Amino acid sequence: MKKQFVKRLIILCLLAMTWAAAGWAGDAKPLSQEELNMIREISQEIDSSPYLDGLHYQNEVSCQDCHGVPQPGWDDPAEAEQCLACHESREALAGRFDKEFARKWGNPHKSHLGDLDCAVCHKGHLASTVYCLGCHTNAPFSIPGQ
């Protein structure tokens, strides 16, 4: 029941963005055809998406929970503060990471590069990428929603 509500809310948000693109919301910036196609694809496939949006949808997390606004647009990315509101602190995330793996390969949530933005690795509507693999090519890292 709640999943249906969340899906309808997501579709309504996407429709509102489409209406804004058509000029019904005043001086809104029009969306490109590519952006409109992506909105359609996300709204039709979110309940079966293998990416983080699908995982969040299955756990009844709304667009607003991640983006911080009821009708997220292209200029409303999910920020680390929204991620950490549900996923605890960076220290807690680092503490939950497999200790044996971290001793051998490092802990991506306690990076030698400092506090990276969550979205460097974790993508919402696309396949996630392991940033560490740019240098540590032989590390067996993986991410849910990859």
Side-chain angles (χ1 to χ4, degrees), residues 51-87:
Y51 306 131
L52 291 181
D53 58 354
L55 295 173
H56 283 90
Y57 172 80
Q58 291 168 13
N59 287 293
E60 301 180 350
V61 176
S62 73
C63 299
Q64 181 170 356
D65 292 331
C66 293
H67 292 274
V69 294
Q71 297 177 358
W74 302 110
D75 295 331
D76 299 310
E79 301 289 345
E81 293 78 34
Q82 273 96 16
C83 300
L84 296 174
C86 294
H87 295 282

Side-chain angles (χ1 to χ4, degrees), residues 96-117:
R96 288 196 334 233
F97 202 78
D98 183 271
K99 307 233 183 311
E100 186 176 323
F101 184 94
R103 274 193 291 279
K104 184 172 183 176
W105 299 104
N107 186 330
H109 294 113
K110 190 175 182 180
S111 172
H112 60 90
L113 298 173
D115 290 340
L116 298 174
D117 189 272

Side-chain angles (χ1 to χ4, degrees), residues 3-144:
K3 284 185 182 181
Q4 279 297 84
F5 172 76
V6 171
K7 187 170 185 177
R8 287 183 183 141
L9 180 64
I10 289 167
I11 291 170
L12 284 174
C13 291
L14 296 171
L15 284 172
M17 290 169 48
T18 304
W19 293 331
W24 299 341
D27 59 351
K29 176 186 163 201
L31 298 177
S32 69
Q33 188 60 47
E34 181 181 1
E35 291 169 327
L36 290 170
N37 290 341
M38 184 179 283
I39 288 170
R40 282 187 201 99
E41 186 177 322
I42 290 169
S43 67
Q44 291 171 354
E45 299 176 0
I46 195 164
D47 56 346
S48 62
S49 172
Y51 306 131
L52 291 181
D53 58 354
L55 295 173
H56 283 90
Y57 172 80
Q58 291 168 13
N59 287 293
E60 301 180 350
V61 176
S62 73
C63 299
Q64 181 170 356
D65 292 331
C66 293
H67 292 274
V69 294
Q71 297 177 358
W74 302 110
D75 295 331
D76 299 310
E79 301 289 345
E81 293 78 34
Q82 273 96 16
C83 300
L84 296 174
C86 294
H87 295 282
E88 305 176 84
S89 66
R90 293 176 189 277
E91 294 78 25
L93 287 169
R96 288 196 334 233
F97 202 78
D98 183 271
K99 307 233 183 311
E100 186 176 323
F101 184 94
R103 274 193 291 279
K104 184 172 183 176
W105 299 104
N107 186 330
H109 294 113
K110 190 175 182 180
S111 172
H112 60 90
L113 298 173
D115 290 340
L116 298 174
D117 189 272
C118 303
V120 168
C121 295
H122 302 279
K123 312 297 182 201
H125 304 287
L126 303 169
S128 293
T129 57
V130 181
Y131 182 75
C132 300
L133 291 176
C135 298
H136 305 276
T137 56
N138 60 343
F141 286 105
S142 65
I143 301 176

